[in-house]
Structures are given as structure tokens and as C-alpha cells.
């Protein structure tokens, strides 16, 4: 071995050994967390000091790859359908908890919290709640059923769910204050307060949310503020507002979203983004009224998302998350409505098509939107480099 060869061999050995045990001073001024993130960033790690990251899932029946994706990136789940009245309580007095129980068990076994969805909704709610002897049931009867349903369900999951969407979509889309649902016409306006009171009694530790779509925009935002005040006046324990966040590419109402977060917060509410997705296709229907279907239109992106659309999706997700980070002191949780594109409800609503609204595609490959959003947390760390103390919670196992 020549002297030169020896020098190269020695240098290689030194570099290799440095790679195994990088001394702290070799990291320069960059915080350790940033370097760590570049290698193995996941959503829950990147945002765990800001807010919880969630995904809606159908139940425990996920395949192994989906489970890996879920457990690595999220620390909370919402059942997409299996805690709605139709699933849990299809016939009066007959509760079916098995599917929801399995979901809760899987979540807890893997360190994820559960947000219950939804104690009361006008959709996916069986008709028996409102009928008696073939006729419309009277107020007292429907109220008693509401109380029994919520007391039983919230009682069953007490201590197992962190929060509940107590009432879903009760605000009217047009000129009225409240939606003319069977809950409203059978009981009256106080059905919402009743729901919160009974839920709180059954599970005093759960955070209780009112959840709806398009409440970031006027006039629904003003009606949501009115509802918060109404509930407080009636002594109903409401802790937060869920902005569903079913938005559409190129028309996300950023300013309205910010104004709504501030307005709900100034009423003392926590704010959660509960059902986030960005529809990439064209549709006529605004918001997320599941009852409104459109006649079949072209399946624009059946063969994948063109690069320019993919880029706009990434940019707009990044803009949204920049806003959420700006208001992280007011936001408790950001939950996506689905784990990956193949499981999104937007493939079937408001008409059948191939949609691409989430961070992972049908093959569970991460999309540029994920990188764009993760990059925000690195930029934040770069701006305020904090010397990393040994044992800093960023590197500790997640809750
Ligand atoms: C949707 C589910 O994703 C679908 O599988 C189901 O067929 C209809 O409901 N707002 C809500 C959610 O609060 O419960 C809805 O979920 C989507 C709109």
C-alpha cells in the first residue's frame, strides 16, 4: 500500500466511523431535530408540538400496509361511519358495538386516541327515532330516544374516546338558522343543547364539539356563532367547533378559514379541522351535503393526476397548513377524511369518479403535498434554531 492509498483508506475509515457516531459538534448550527426529520419525517412527528394529526378510518379492517401508514403518521382516528346512529343503533334498544369496539381497541393498542363521530346527525340515522305506531312521534318520545341513545353510546365509550362530534350539520345552508331536520321538527331548537347536556353527563371527561361544513364562510359562520351563544345560554357544555374542511382545489377560502378560527376562538372554543380533503375534480355542489348527488360527469383523472394539478394540490395544502401552524394555539387537531386516495369518500360523492384528495395515492405512495407540508415544519425549525437538549421530547416516543 502506497502512502497515498494508506491516507485514503485511513480517511475513509474515519468518515465511516463518524457516520455511526456523529459527535454533536459535527452537526454545526442545525438543530438535531431537523436532521432527524429529513430522514424519517412523519406527520405526527412533525406536528406533534402543534396539534394532533388524525385520519378517518372505516374500522379495524385495514391491511398491513395501511396500518403501518396509519400508526406512523397519525395519533388520532375518527370512525368514518361505524359510530353513527344507523350503525350503532339500527333498531330501538338494539345496540351493535362490535365494529366500533374493534376500532377503538386497535387504536388504543397502537397509541392512537379516538374522536367519536357522531352522536347526532340527520343522515345515517334510522327512521324509528321519529316514528310511533306508523305516525310521527311526539316531542317527548323523540327527546327520550335522543337521551337514551346518547347516554348509552357516550356511556359505552366513556374513558375510551377523547372527544365527540356531538351534533353534526345542524345549521341550515340557506336562509333558516337551523336545518329543518327531523330532530328539529320533532323536538325543537333545544335538541342540540339536550344532546350536549346528556353527552357530558355520560362522559364528563370527553371534549364536546359541534361539527359542520362551510361554517368558515358567511352566513353559516354567523349562525355557528349564534349557536355557540345559544348553547352557553342554555347551560350546555360545548368545548369546541369542528370545521369539517371539505374544500376544493383552486377555491379554498383561506381568509374565511382564518377569520372563522379567530371568531370561534374568541367565543372560548377550541377549533378542530375534522374532515380535511381537497377535491381535485370539478363539481357543482359546494360544501359536503351528502344528500346532494350530481348526475354522472366525466371521470377527469382516472389515469392519474397531471403534474400541474399535483403541484397546485401541494401548494394549496402547504398554504393551509401554514395557516394552521400560525393558529396552532387555537387548533387541537387536524383530521383527514380518509387515509389515502383509494379510501376517500370523494370517489363516490357527489358522483362516481377517481379522486386524488389526500396525501397518499392508491398505492400508498406519498404525494408531493406531503413533502410540501412537512417542509413547513423544517422551515419553522430553521427560522428559530433551538439548540437541542439531550432527551428533548421531539425525539422521544410519541404519546
Ligand atoms: C360520509 C362517509 O365518508 C361515507 O362513507 C358515507 O357514505 C356518508 O358519510 N360529513 C360528515 C361525514 O360529517 O360523516 C360524512 O361521511 C362526510 C361529510
Amino acid at each position: 500500500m502506497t502512502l497515498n492509498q494508506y491516507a485514503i483508506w485511513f480517511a475513509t475509515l474515519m468518515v465511516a466511523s463518524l457516520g455511526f457516531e456523529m459527535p454533536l459538534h459535527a452537526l454545526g448550527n442545525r438543530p438535531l431535530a431537523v436532521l432527524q426529520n429529513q430522514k424519517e419525517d412523519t406527520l405526527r412527528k412533525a406536528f406533534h408540538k402543534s396539534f394532533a394529526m388524525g385520519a378517518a378510518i372505516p374500522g379495524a379492517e385495514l391491511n398491513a400496509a395501511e396500518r403501518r401508514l396509519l400508526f406512523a403518521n397519525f395519533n388520532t382516528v375518527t370512525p368514518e361511519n361505524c359510530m353513527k346512529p344507523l350503525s350503532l343503533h339500527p333498531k330501538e334498544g338494539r345496540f351493535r358495538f362490535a365494529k366500533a369496539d374493534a376500532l377503538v381497541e386497535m387504536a388504543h393498542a397502537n397509541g392512537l386516541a379516538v374522536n367519536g363521530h357522531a352522536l347526532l346527525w340527520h343522515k345515517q340515522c334510522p327512521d324509528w327515532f321519529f316514528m310511533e305506531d306508523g305516525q310521527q312521534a311526539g316531542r317527548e318520545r323523540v327527546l327520550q330516544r335522543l337521551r337514551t341513545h346518547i347516554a348509552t353510546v357516550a356511556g359505552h365509550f366513556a374513558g375510551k374516546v377523547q372527544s365527540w362530534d356531538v351534533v353534526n350539520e345542524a345549521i341550515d345552508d340557506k336562509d333558516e338558522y337551523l336545518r329543518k331536520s327531523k330532530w328539529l321538527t320533532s323536538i325543537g331548537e333545544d335538541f342540540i343543547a339536550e344532546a350536549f347536556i346528556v353527552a357530558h353527563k355520560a362522559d364528563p371527561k370527553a371534549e364536546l364539539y359541534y361539527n359542520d361544513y362551510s361554517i368558515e364562510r358567511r352566513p353559516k359562520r354567523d349562525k355557528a356563532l349564534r349557536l355557540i351563544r345559544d348553547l352557553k345560554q342554555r347551560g350546555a357544555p360545548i368545548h369546541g367547533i369542528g370545521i369539517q374542511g371539505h374544500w376544493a382545489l383552486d377555491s379554498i377560502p383561506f381568509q374565511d378559514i382564518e377569520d372563522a378560527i379567530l371568531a370561534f376562538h374568541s367565543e372560548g372554543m377550541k377549533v378542530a379541522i375534522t374532515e380535511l380533503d381537497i377535491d381535485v375534480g370539478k363539481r357543482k355542489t359546494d360544501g359536503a351535503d351528502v344528500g346532494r348527488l350530481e348526475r354522472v360527469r366525466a371521470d377527469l383523472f382516472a389515469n392519474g393526476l397531471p403534474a400541474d394539478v399535483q403541484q397546485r394540490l401541494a401548494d394549496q395544502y402547504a398554504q393551509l397548513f401554514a395557516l394552521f401552524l400560525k393558529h396552532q394555539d387555537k387548533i387541537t387537531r387536524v383530521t383527514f377524511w380518509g387515509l389515502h386516495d383509494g379510501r376517500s369518500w370523494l370517489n363516490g360523492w357527489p358522483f362516481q369518479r377517481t379522486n386524488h384528495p389526500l396525501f397518499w395515492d392508491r398505492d400508498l405512495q406519498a404525494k408531493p403535498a406531503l413533502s410540501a407540508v412537512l417542509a413547513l415544519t423544517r422551515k419553522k425549525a430553521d427560522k428559530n434554531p433551538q439548540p437541542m437538549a439531550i432527551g428533548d421530547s421531539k425525539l422521544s416516543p410519541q404519546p
Side-chain angles (χ1 to χ4, degrees):
M1 196 181 278
T2 65
L3 200 62
N4 249 355
Q5 279 172 325
Y6 181 78
I8 290 168
W9 171 79
F10 184 70
T12 312
L13 199 70
M14 287 311 290
V15 169
S17 68
L18 272 183
F20 286 119
E21 260 206 81
M22 181 92 81
L24 272 181
H25 61 79
L27 297 172
N29 288 330
R30 310 197 64 201
L32 188 54
V34 173
L35 294 177
Q36 181 93 0
N37 280 347
Q38 280 171 351
K39 224 175 82 202
E40 42 170 328
D41 245 3
T42 71
L43 274 182
R44 64 187 268 175
K45 270 193 188 177
F47 289 94
H48 94 276
K49 284 190 172 167
S50 306
F51 32 73
M53 288 297 323
I57 56 169
E61 67 276 18
L62 301 175
N63 67 35
E66 289 176 320
R67 282 175 177 236
R68 269 198 303 278
L69 187 72
L70 178 71
F71 303 152
N73 284 283
F74 298 95
N75 42 24
T76 165
V77 285
T78 300
E80 188 172 353
N81 289 304
C82 68
M83 284 193 191
K84 291 171 180 171
L86 185 63
S87 306
L88 288 181
H89 200 177
K91 294 214 174 88
E92 184 157 23
R94 294 217 199 137
F95 289 89
R96 287 203 242 142
F97 286 116
K99 190 172 163 131
D101 283 345
L103 180 148
V104 172
E105 207 180 301
M106 178 189 74
H108 289 176
N110 293 283
L112 279 75
V114 178
N115 169 65
H117 173 88
L119 289 171
L120 229 63
W121 192 25
H122 64 287
K123 285 278 167 192
Q124 292 176 283
C125 177
D127 243 13
W128 66 256
F129 273 101
F130 312 102
M131 302 301 289
E132 180 135 62
D133 302 328
Q135 312 234 348
Q136 286 282 312
R139 168 182 153 93
E140 286 312 314
R141 190 91 183 98
V142 182
L143 194 53
Q144 171 250 318
R145 287 167 172 164
L146 174 152
R147 289 183 180 136
T148 305
H149 176 76
I150 295 184
T152 310
V153 172
H156 179 87
F157 293 108
K160 296 181 180 167
V161 300
Q162 195 171 55
S163 50
W164 270 108
D165 296 332
V166 178
V167 175
N168 199 29
E169 303 180 355
I171 291 173
D172 189 51
D173 282 321
K174 298 212 176 89
D175 301 334
E176 300 299 321
Y177 166 36
L178 296 179
R179 179 191 297 273
K180 216 167 162 197
S181 70
K182 287 186 181 161
W183 291 114
L184 181 73
T185 53
S186 310
I187 298 178
E189 284 189 8
D190 59 334
F191 86 89
I192 305 178
E194 278 289 334
F196 277 85
I197 290 167
V198 181
H200 184 62
K201 214 162 155 202
D203 188 355
K205 289 199 177 131
E207 274 182 10
L208 304 182
Y209 285 76
Y210 172 75
N211 192 52
D212 211 333
Y213 61 84
S214 301
I215 45 171
E216 63 279 6
R217 304 178 206 218
R218 291 201 148 103
K220 276 183 98 172
R221 188 204 311 159
D222 295 327
K223 295 183 205 176
L225 291 166
R226 174 174 164 192
L227 178 61
I228 296 166
R229 292 179 201 127
D230 277 1
L231 288 174
K232 286 185 194 161
Q233 219 169 26
R234 292 176 196 267
I238 176 167
H239 307 122
I241 296 292
I243 298 175
Q244 289 188 2
H246 293 294
W247 290 306
L249 194 69
D250 302 330
S251 60
I252 301 175
F254 293 105
Q255 189 57 57
D256 284 331
I257 297 167
E258 179 159 32
D259 291 348
I261 293 171
L262 290 167
F264 296 147
H265 176 74
S266 67
E267 284 294 331
M269 294 292 104
K270 299 178 177 184
V271 179
I273 309 297
T274 53
E275 305 187 13
L276 181 57
D277 47 28
I278 300 183
D279 189 341
V280 295
K282 293 258 177 290
R283 67 181 202 219
K284 292 186 211 142
T285 312
D286 204 14
D289 186 346
V290 300
R292 289 184 62 192
L293 293 177
E294 290 180 15
R295 288 227 325 276
V296 175
R297 305 171 86 207
D299 189 2
L300 280 182
F301 303 126
N303 300 320
L305 210 50
D308 64 312
V309 186
Q310 190 77 266
Q311 188 57 49
R312 295 211 308 281
L313 185 68
D315 293 345
Q316 290 170 39
Y317 259 124
Q319 208 179 327
L320 261 183
F321 272 80
L323 186 60
F324 299 157
L325 282 171
K326 179 174 170 196
H327 295 293
Q328 58 178 289
D329 58 321
K330 306 167 192 75
I331 295 178
T332 49
R333 171 169 62 89
V334 176
T335 290
F336 290 85
W337 205 244
L339 189 54
H340 59 82
D341 289 346
R343 283 205 182 264
S344 167
W345 77 300
L346 292 175
N347 294 306
W349 182 88
F351 57 94
Q352 210 66 38
R353 65 218 155 122
T354 313
N355 220 323
H356 307 261
L358 300 168
F359 278 2
W360 286 273
D361 68 16
R362 286 164 171 72
D363 301 319
L364 307 197
Q365 296 304 304
K367 290 152 70 173
L370 175 66
S371 325
V373 163
L374 290 176
L376 293 173
T377 61
R378 281 188 219 114
K379 266 188 217 144
K380 219 178 93 190
D382 279 343
K383 247 192 248 162
N384 309 303
Q386 301 285 328
M388 195 74 189
I390 302 295
D392 186 294
S393 62
K394 259 225 147 108
L395 299 180
S396 312
Q398 304 298 298

